[in-house]
Amino acid sequence: EVMAKGQEKGGLAPMFRALKTCVKVPVFCGNRISNPALAEAILARQDADGVALGRPLLRDPEYAQKAIEGRAEAIVECVSCHGCMQLTMKGQRVRCVQNKAQ
């Protein structure tokens, strides 16, 4: 899968780390943080003070609970299809288009 720079999972984390040196407020990193291991790595490297989950929570609303319970393998990962963003741009209710039950 070929992606633009920064589009790989968590690929913008270095930018957030640089931002932390310029501001005096907590910095949260977003951008394709589709699994807890990646979130933990970003925090461990101190790339950010926290992580922001948007699309991953649309894909699997139980993401956080599964992570807390140590069941990361049960998380249904966002595939970054951008279907949710397309709905938003059309003024429609945001949801994961990959979730058939919604």
Side-chain angles (χ1 to χ4, degrees):
E1 178 178 0
V2 177
M3 293 183 210
K5 181 72 174 150
Q7 293 306 307
E8 59 273 358
K9 291 181 180 182
L12 295 180
M15 180 188 74
F16 288 98
R17 183 181 185 99
L19 178 63
K20 281 182 55 170
T21 66
C22 302
V23 298
K24 296 181 181 188
V25 296
V27 173
F28 280 66
C29 176
N31 182 245
R32 301 193 69 215
I33 302 172
S34 59
N35 63 69
L38 178 57
E40 290 289 340
I42 289 168
L43 296 174
R45 291 190 311 258
Q46 297 183 354
D47 288 339
D49 301 305
V51 295
L53 303 173
R55 291 178 297 171
L57 294 177
L58 290 175
R59 180 67 171 127
D60 188 344
E62 299 298 322
Y63 179 114
Q65 188 63 40
K66 291 174 182 177
I68 289 167
E69 293 172 354
R71 299 185 304 119
E73 72 287 345
I75 293 172
V76 182
E77 289 194 25
C78 172
V79 297
S80 299
C81 71
H82 301 287
C84 56
M85 294 171 69
Q86 291 171 1
L87 292 173
T88 301
M89 297 298 204
K90 294 176 183 176
Q92 297 178 7
R93 183 179 70 90
V94 66
R95 62 180 177 80
C96 178
V97 299
Q98 299 294 317
N99 291 345
K100 304 301 181 208
Q102 291 186 350

